[in-house]
Amino acid sequence: MLPIVSCFYKVQKKELYPFIYISFIVFINLMTLNIASYIFLVKQYQKPLFSFLSLSKGYLGDISYIETMKWSVTLHQSMIGWGFLLVFVMGYWLWRENKQKWITTWHIIFYFTLLIMVSLIIQARVVILGIGIIMLVFLWVELMKRIKLKKKIIYTSFAALIILFLLPFLIIKKNNYFNDEIRNRMNIAAWNSFKESPVFGKGAGSEENVIIKAGYDFHTLHNDYLSTLVEQGLVGFFFIFLFHIFVVYFGIKNKFLLGIYVLITFFLFNTTEGIMGFPICIPLFLFCLLPPEDTSCSSSEKELSLPSDIPT
């Protein structure tokens, strides 16, 4: 739907800035609420205040960390944490783009501190990893701005891509906290299913059959890319890959880094959960993935203005 809708509507920066700023401020308040909920919970059950630093889903003992998220419509910690991370990425871009006119440095520091604390409180593992990956992306962008030679840019970018993909893999593989055995088995089953019908996939609904054969009772593989390979094969995966390429291409062409930042955040979450089909994607895609309309050119009024020496 994105190409169709975007033919008729394209945001301007004067619309994009308030959208990000309002989201940023609202999510600061939501994270503050989550931390307040956590403080009340640990005081009620007489738990240590910094229990969330233990990197364990059972850090509250018999009480579930889900209790701290009762303010939310959904109790899915990854969904909530991903939303917080996404809005941080948007806010960071606005902070760099607008030179602190909307979002200040103190806003960013405060949000980042809350983001780390809340991610640990709600045990959103993908967000804990994602924060490190996003910070590496920001660092890479700043380095690219200082490197002038094209060869150095290519070599540095290639090295950054290797680190970006290899580091999370090693962390997940070597660390029991991030290594999820259930996901590993479902991923292996999905890959085996894809190899049986690699071109067109096995059709809609085959994803659940793969999960059942793996011995689990889930509706999705929690990985949009694997789901696509299983159900639509390489043909379907090609269109998703093309979508990513277009976003990166137009982001670089128009120097619109927000689209690339948001796409990377989507990519992180789509490899562990899957968000592409949710309604929340519609405003995010329209506002953040497409470069805003350029209104810096002279308007029609300026083009039609008369010289100052001619009386009106």
Side-chain angles (χ1 to χ4, degrees):
M1 291 297 294
L2 180 65
I4 298 173
V5 174
S6 63
C7 287
F8 305 100
Y9 177 75
K10 197 171 185 181
V11 300
Q12 299 178 9
K13 283 189 176 180
K14 65 180 182 180
E15 300 165 330
L16 177 60
Y17 290 171
F19 171 76
I20 296 176
Y21 176 75
I22 292 170
S23 303
F24 191 86
I25 297 301
V26 167
F27 274 61
I28 278 182
N29 284 279
L30 289 178
M31 286 193 293
T32 304
L33 178 62
N34 204 120
I35 291 174
S37 174
Y38 168 80
I39 292 172
F40 286 134
L41 190 70
V42 294
K43 282 188 173 292
Q44 180 182 355
Y45 291 98
Q46 298 180 344
K47 301 290 183 181
L49 183 61
F50 295 100
S51 299
F52 64 90
L53 296 175
S54 60
L55 288 180
S56 168
K57 287 197 171 186
Y59 74 89
L60 288 177
D62 297 332
I63 307 110
S64 174
Y65 59 88
I66 293 176
E67 295 293 324
T68 66
M69 299 184 291
K70 287 296 182 68
W71 55 269
S72 171
V73 175
T74 174
L75 296 180
H76 197 304
Q77 71 273 19
S78 294
M79 291 273 192
I80 295 171
W82 173 79
F84 290 149
L85 177 62
L86 179 63
V87 173
F88 170 71
V89 167
M90 293 158 53
Y92 175 87
W93 175 83
L94 181 56
W95 170 63
R96 297 292 293 169
E97 172 80 7
N98 208 240
K99 310 301 181 186
Q100 303 191 46
K101 292 179 181 178
W102 286 79
I103 294 176
T104 67
T105 302
W106 288 111
H107 276 121
I108 291 294
I109 293 172
F110 184 54
Y111 193 109
F112 185 69
T113 305
L114 292 178
L115 177 63
I116 293 175
M117 292 176 63
V118 170
S119 300
L120 292 168
I121 288 171
I122 66 177
Q123 292 295 293
R125 292 176 294 179
V126 63
V127 179
I128 296 170
L129 272 177
I131 291 171
I133 293 170
I134 289 296
M135 296 310 294
L136 285 174
V137 171
F138 291 161
L139 178 62
W140 172 77
V141 170
E142 294 303 319
L143 286 174
M144 292 304 99
K145 289 178 181 178
R146 289 164 172 75
I147 297 176
K148 303 300 180 182
L149 296 176
K150 287 186 178 180
K151 285 186 177 180
K152 286 188 177 181
I153 291 175
I154 293 172
Y155 295 150
T156 310
S157 300
F158 184 71
L161 280 173
I162 294 175
I163 294 172
L164 193 64
F165 285 102
L166 188 61
L167 189 61
F169 175 78
L170 291 175
I171 292 173
I172 293 170
K173 198 73 176 176
K174 301 295 182 181
N175 191 295
N176 291 330
Y177 176 69
F178 293 102
N179 193 0
D180 193 323
E181 190 60 34
I182 295 176
R183 290 181 190 273
N184 292 339
R185 290 177 181 175
M186 288 198 302
N187 291 345
I188 292 171
W191 185 252
N192 290 334
S193 175
F194 160 70
K195 289 190 291 186
E196 293 173 6
S197 183
V199 180
F200 295 104
K202 292 189 173 181
S206 55
E207 178 184 15
E208 289 195 45
N209 295 332
V210 169
I211 298 170
I212 292 170
K213 287 181 181 179
Y216 300 106
D217 185 21
F218 298 114
H219 295 294
T220 69
L221 288 166
H222 295 82
N223 187 320
D224 271 350
Y225 304 107
L226 273 179
S227 299
T228 303
L229 287 172
V230 168
E231 296 194 342
Q232 288 88 35
L234 290 172
V235 174
F237 186 80
F238 170 76
F239 286 102
I240 287 187
F241 179 73
L242 198 63
F243 167 75
H244 287 64
I245 292 296
F246 277 147
V247 172
V248 173
Y249 171 75
F250 284 111
I252 294 174
K253 181 181 177 182
N254 296 276
K255 297 181 180 179
F256 184 64
L257 291 176
L258 176 62
I260 298 175
Y261 291 160
V262 169
L263 184 73
I264 291 171
T265 312
F266 266 93
F267 175 80
L268 293 173
F269 196 69
N270 285 331
T271 55
T272 56
E273 293 296 337
I275 193 73
M276 294 286 277
F278 280 63
I280 189 64
C281 294
I282 296 172
L284 288 171
F285 282 2
L286 286 176
F287 277 88
C288 300
L289 290 188
L290 294 170
E293 185 178 353
D294 186 8
T295 57
S296 61
C297 298
S298 57
S299 64
S300 58
E301 292 181 3
K302 291 181 180 179
E303 291 174 357
L304 294 173
S305 62
L306 298 173
S308 57
D309 58 339
I310 297 178
T312 58

